[in-house]
């Protein structure tokens, strides 16, 4: 049985990955500093799977602790989710973002190499495509970033690509997520952002439960189907299944390769609101306001490279994403706090 270190293991996406890993016979070991998640997540994972995964509370900068984790658990591979992810915050706290996301990853890879563990799946982002000239986006399109968060992802991609050139033992998958949404069908785990949500789905869901009053739609004058921004929303359960496929693809000669994780289908903000209303039966009050600085018109993936190389395609449609996101929010109106 293969043991997988899951950094950021109690976070939104990682917690879903841990469920899938357990269901598929892997032994995940969770590592998280709880800076943006709760240890209660471990209980919820146990409630879903019947298995209580090992959890180590710690920070990536603690090299001694990381070394002891590799020694104790005999780690075969790593899925590296740990990172800070709020774009606006990254502008205000650039030092912290680079230290956490870039230096944290360097520390991790240093400990991995010392432990003779060279298989790594990294959580990257479609943000590395900047403002794409055309859609759908393919992996070979030009890369750029407009804020410290995006640059930290781009830097880590470049570092990992250089590592793979420097030592052919490395087998690295860079997974570029589009817009992860939804939750496990049980409603026991899901996204629980701190404070006022930055992202569309958590905002809509908190309006639906009455925590927030009204959604601001950022911009109604884009060149899109209805003037609002278009994104490729992907169900988190689909997303994490691709991670398991990527782990299996990390054979010799893999080197460092990038894979888009999206459905290939873009939806506008107004289309998402409508789908959420249909799934929940709750009307979402909204108003169209100014564009948000740094936002782009449209972003959606070409999923073809990932389909042919990893044998993976997203299965869930927008209605299922909305249903499951709503189920989580309804069962946990205060997130994990309650
Ligand atoms: P999340 O905040 O829920 O999970 C990240 C976890 O990492 C948190 O539990 C946090 O406590 C932990 N963490 C952060 N820094 C750490 C450190 N130095 N040491 C140990 N633990 C640390 O976020 P998420 O949405 O699950 O995102 C997971 C990854 O996917 C991140 O790297 C993020 O940048 C990337 N990503 C997310 C999205 C998205 O929209 N959610 C899109 C693209 C990429
Ligand atoms: N939006 C609103 N109102 C809101 C929030 C969002 O109208 O309150 C709109 C945005 O303008 C955009 C769409 O909804 O058109 C999606 O916005 P999100 O903030 O949910 O997602 P983004 O595509 O802007 O960014 C997300 C992550 C980034 C990541 C990027 C690419 O937040 O970290 O996807 O993966 F880099």
């Amino acid at each position: 049985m293969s043991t997988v270190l899951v950094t950021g293991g109690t976070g939104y996406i990682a917690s879903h990955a841990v469920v899938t890993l357990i269901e598929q016979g892997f032994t995940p070991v969770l590592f998280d500093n709880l800076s943006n998640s709760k240890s209660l997540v471990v209980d919820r994972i146990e409630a879903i799977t019947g298995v209580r995964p090992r959890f180590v509370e710690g920070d990536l900068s603690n090299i001694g602790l990381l070394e002891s984790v590799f020694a104790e658990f005999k780690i075969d591979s790593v899925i590296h989710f740990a990172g800070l992810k709020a774009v606006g915050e990254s502008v205000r706290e650039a030092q912290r973002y680079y230290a956490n996301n870039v230096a944290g990853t360097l520390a991790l890879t240093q400990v991995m190499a010392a432990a003779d563990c060279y298989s790594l799946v990294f959580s990257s982002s479609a943000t590395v495509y900047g403002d794409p000239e055309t859609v759908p986006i393919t992996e070979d399109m030009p890369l750029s970033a407009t804020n410290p968060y995006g640059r930290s992802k781009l830097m880590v991609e470049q570092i990992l690509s250089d590592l793979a050139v420097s030592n052919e033992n490395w087998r690295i998958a860079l997974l570029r997520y589009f817009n992860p949404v939804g939750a496990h069908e049980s409603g026991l785990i899901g996204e629980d952002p701190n404070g006022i949500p930055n992202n569309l789905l958590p905002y809509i869901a908190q309006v639906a439960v009455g925590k927030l009053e009204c959604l601001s739609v950022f911009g109604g004058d884009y060149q899109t189907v209805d003037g609002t921004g278009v994104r490729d929303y992907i169900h988190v359960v689909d997303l994490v299944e691709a991670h398991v496929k990527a782990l299996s693809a990390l054979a010799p000669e893999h080197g460092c390769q990038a894979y888009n994780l999206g459905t290939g289908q873009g939806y506008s903000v107004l289309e998402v609101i409508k789908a959420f209303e249909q799934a929940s039966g709750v009307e979402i009050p909204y108003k169209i306001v100014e564009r948000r600085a740094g936002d782009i018109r449209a972003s959606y993936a070409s999923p073809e490279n990932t389909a042919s190389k990893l044998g993976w395609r997203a299965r869930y449609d927008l209605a299922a994403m909305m249903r499951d996101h709503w189920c989580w929010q309804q069962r946990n109106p205060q997130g994990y706090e309650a």
Side-chain angles (χ1 to χ4, degrees):
M1 220 166 19
S2 182
T3 303
V4 185
L5 178 67
V6 183
T7 74
T10 45
Y12 166 47
I13 301 170
S15 57
H16 290 81
V18 168
V19 168
T20 298
L21 286 167
I22 292 171
E23 285 170 352
Q24 300 202 16
F26 293 84
T27 305
V29 175
L30 285 58
F31 185 89
D32 201 299
N33 64 6
L34 302 179
S35 61
N36 198 36
S37 56
K38 307 273 186 318
S39 59
L40 177 67
V41 169
V42 182
D43 300 343
R44 299 288 180 89
I45 291 169
E46 183 180 11
I48 294 170
T49 62
V51 173
R52 188 169 186 84
R54 295 296 297 268
F55 168 56
V56 179
E57 183 178 343
D59 193 281
L60 289 174
S61 63
N62 188 341
I63 289 190
L65 180 63
L66 270 181
E67 284 170 343
S68 70
V69 168
F70 276 83
E72 180 180 351
F73 296 103
K74 310 217 176 334
I75 303 295
D76 297 300
S77 54
V78 177
I79 310 185
H80 178 31
F81 292 100
L84 300 172
K85 62 166 185 177
V87 173
E89 187 182 69
S90 79
V91 176
R92 296 188 299 275
E93 300 182 38
Q95 163 86 35
R96 185 169 153 243
Y97 269 68
Y98 288 121
N100 199 81
N101 294 2
V102 181
T105 304
L106 272 175
L108 173 68
T109 53
Q110 182 186 327
V111 175
M112 287 178 71
D116 215 15
C117 173
Y118 291 100
S119 296
L120 176 64
V121 173
F122 172 63
S123 297
S124 189
S125 166
T127 196
V128 299
Y129 295 115
D131 191 352
E133 269 175 23
T134 55
V135 278
I137 299 171
T138 52
E139 285 85 347
D140 54 4
M141 281 173 54
L143 305 179
S144 69
T146 55
N147 56 69
Y149 167 71
R151 272 189 284 278
S152 76
K153 289 292 177 194
L154 202 47
M155 285 176 191
V156 169
E157 284 206 359
Q158 286 162 343
I159 289 168
L160 296 178
S161 160
D162 287 343
L163 285 190
V165 172
S166 73
N167 180 338
E168 62 185 18
N169 287 329
W170 282 105
R171 306 155 184 206
I172 301 172
L174 310 173
L175 302 185
R176 295 179 179 155
Y177 309 164
F178 281 71
N179 291 60
V181 297
H184 188 265
E185 60 177 7
S186 63
L188 285 170
I189 53 175
E191 187 172 11
D192 179 18
N194 282 330
I196 308 268
N198 297 308
N199 297 114
L200 181 63
L201 248 295
Y203 204 106
I204 291 178
Q206 292 194 14
V207 170
V209 290
K211 264 182 96 176
L212 296 168
E213 260 176 33
C214 176
L215 171 74
S216 295
V217 175
F218 299 137
D221 57 353
Y222 288 105
Q223 292 285 318
T224 60
V225 58
D226 56 22
T228 64
V230 166
R231 296 290 184 276
D232 186 340
Y233 298 92
I234 174 163
H235 197 298
V236 64
V237 170
D238 272 333
L239 187 86
V240 299
E241 276 170 6
H243 290 65
V244 182
K245 296 277 191 188
L247 272 184
S248 314
L250 294 181
E253 318 296 321
H254 180 275
C256 181
Q257 293 187 49
Y259 304 96
N260 283 343
L261 298 188
T263 64
Q265 170 81 48
Y267 289 102
S268 74
V269 177
L270 296 185
E271 287 170 332
V272 171
I273 296 172
K274 199 165 155 215
F276 189 92
E277 289 179 334
Q278 275 166 355
S280 64
V282 180
E283 194 188 327
I284 304 299
Y286 71 86
K287 57 176 187 295
I288 296 186
V289 301
E290 290 294 290
R291 292 181 180 191
R292 181 169 64 179
D295 267 1
I296 57 178
R297 179 188 74 85
S299 165
Y300 54 93
S302 163
E304 298 310 324
N305 171 63
T306 309
S308 69
K309 292 202 181 135
L310 298 186
W312 169 91
R313 269 184 204 279
R315 294 180 290 136
Y316 291 103
D317 63 10
L318 190 66
M321 299 179 214
M322 299 301 121
R323 177 198 66 208
D324 293 340
H325 205 109
W326 173 233
C327 171
W328 151 255
Q329 188 72 51
Q330 220 181 0
R331 289 190 66 165
N332 306 270
Q334 307 301 328
Y336 289 109
E337 284 300 347

